[in-house]
């Protein structure tokens, strides 16, 4: 850029006749394009010859925090990606599921994410990342009261009375496991609906009744199902959805 270049926020403020702070919010919310490309950094510099436009639906309101629902693939560490930040290896514009009336993808949606319900690396299924303190509080501080649902494929022969023990009667880390709902979905598939999920809990329970886990998938957290997300895909939690 030459000396003629100015900050994008200044250009937008002049162009729209608004304050610099309002211009910065227009830009940060993904409402401004430069030569046809969305630019989210208010400090970006532009030349007088470049085409700066306000996109349809642009807003100068503070962008709300987002919550992300990811179908974590088996073998992926939901805690930290290879670049040292949660799930950035999976959360890309290309893997965002289309439809659902979702907001426009912004780079800022991947900043300051809190992982609320981690899964074992070998398991797959629904994982939640959020910027919203209300969602974090619900799933972390009140998490033991939020039911989760798992589909678990197993091998081996369950011991006599094993299903009843899975529902109630086993111990984990020296403490009784609270009652839960466990049922057969098919000859080698169990459904678990439980609260207060701890890493290794379901694997421990299956081992206690003679079963070995082949595959485990979380399909629901509270009232939010994974629904049609394919492995590796993600979407935003919508305004009307509640855990």
């Amino acid at each position: 850029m030459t000396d003629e270049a100015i900050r994008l926020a200044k250009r937008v403020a002049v162009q729209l006749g608004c304050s610099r702070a309002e211009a910065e919010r227009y830009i940060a919310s993904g409402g401004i394009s430069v030569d046809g490309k969305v630019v989210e950094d208010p400090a970006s510099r532009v030349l007088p010859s470049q085409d700066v436009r306000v996109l349809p639906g642009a807003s100068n309101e503070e962008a709300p925090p987002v919550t992300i629902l990811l179908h974590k693939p088996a073998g992926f560490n939901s805690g930290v990606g290879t670049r040292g930040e949660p799930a950035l290896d999976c959360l890309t514009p290309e893997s965002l599921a289309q439809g659902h009336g979702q907001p426009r993808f912004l780079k800022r949606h991947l900043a300051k994410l809190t992982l609320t319900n981690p899964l074992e690396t070998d398991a797959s299924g629904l994982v939640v990342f959020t910027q919203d303190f209300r969602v974090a509080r619900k799933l972390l501080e009140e998490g033991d009261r939020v039911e989760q649902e798992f589909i678990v494929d197993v091998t081996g022969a369950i011991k006599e009375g094993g299903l009843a023990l899975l529902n109630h009667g086993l111990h984990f880390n020296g403490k009784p496991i609270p009652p839960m709902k466990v049922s057969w979905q098919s000859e080698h598939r169990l459904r678990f609906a439980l609260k207060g999920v701890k890493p290794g809990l379901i694997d421990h329970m299956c081992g206690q009744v003679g079963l070995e886990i082949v595959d485990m998938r979380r399909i629901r957290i509270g009232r939010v199902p994974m629904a049609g997300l394919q492995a590796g895909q993600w979407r935003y939690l919508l305004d009307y959805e509640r855990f």
Side-chain angles (χ1 to χ4, degrees):
M1 289 289 180
T2 69
D3 291 340
E4 294 180 297
I6 63 172
R7 289 179 83 254
L8 179 58
K10 181 177 180 180
R11 171 78 174 270
V12 171
V14 171
Q15 193 167 313
L16 297 182
C18 64
S19 70
R20 191 75 61 88
E22 288 176 311
E24 290 180 352
R25 290 196 293 270
Y26 273 116
I27 298 164
S29 63
I32 302 296
S33 69
V34 178
D35 291 338
K37 182 179 179 181
V38 174
V39 177
E40 300 174 36
D41 183 3
S44 298
R45 302 185 73 81
V46 293
L47 291 167
S49 60
Q50 290 186 282
D51 182 31
V52 176
R53 297 193 180 188
V54 181
L55 299 174
S59 171
N60 64 1
E61 295 181 359
E62 223 33 88
V66 300
T67 295
I68 287 171
L69 310 176
L70 167 70
H71 181 167
K72 183 189 89 67
F76 173 76
N77 183 342
S78 59
V80 179
T82 58
R83 282 167 284 180
E85 297 183 57
L88 287 184
D89 294 330
C90 272
L91 302 181
T92 67
E94 293 73 28
S95 58
L96 173 60
Q98 299 304 305
H100 307 290
Q102 301 181 95
R104 179 189 294 127
F105 171 78
L106 300 174
K107 294 177 183 177
R108 65 185 297 169
H109 292 163
L110 302 184
K112 298 180 181 179
L113 289 170
T114 297
L115 170 64
T116 62
N117 304 88
L119 273 175
E120 291 96 328
T121 299
D122 291 339
S124 65
L126 183 59
V127 173
V128 177
F129 298 90
T130 189
Q131 298 172 333
D132 192 330
F133 78 92
R134 296 165 299 181
V135 173
R137 182 174 59 197
K138 173 75 173 180
L139 297 181
L140 291 173
E141 297 179 18
E142 304 170 19
D144 284 351
R145 299 200 293 271
V146 177
E147 186 177 79
Q148 301 182 33
E149 185 174 351
F150 291 79
I151 297 298
V152 182
D153 291 338
V154 295
T155 186
I158 191 169
K159 73 179 186 181
E160 187 175 352
L163 184 61
L165 285 173
L166 289 173
N167 277 271
H168 191 211
L170 297 175
H171 289 69
F172 183 60
N173 291 336
K175 298 180 180 179
I177 300 172
M180 63 184 69
K181 293 172 279 188
V182 185
S183 59
W184 286 107
Q185 301 295 289
S186 65
E187 186 178 357
H188 297 289
R189 175 169 290 178
L190 286 163
R191 171 188 173 271
F192 285 74
L194 66 161
K195 300 177 182 179
V197 182
K198 301 291 189 297
L201 173 62
I202 294 178
D203 185 52
H204 169 80
M205 293 174 64
C206 288
Q208 291 293 295
V209 297
L211 299 174
E212 181 180 349
I213 293 178
V214 176
D215 182 72
M216 182 167 70
R217 180 164 44 102
R218 180 163 59 198
I219 62 172
R220 176 175 59 85
I221 298 176
R223 291 173 286 180
V224 177
M226 187 167 64
L229 287 177
Q230 301 301 308
Q233 281 190 324
W234 63 278
R235 70 173 179 87
Y236 295 103
L237 184 76
L238 303 180
D239 289 342
Y240 64 84
E241 294 181 296
R242 298 289 184 274
F243 288 99

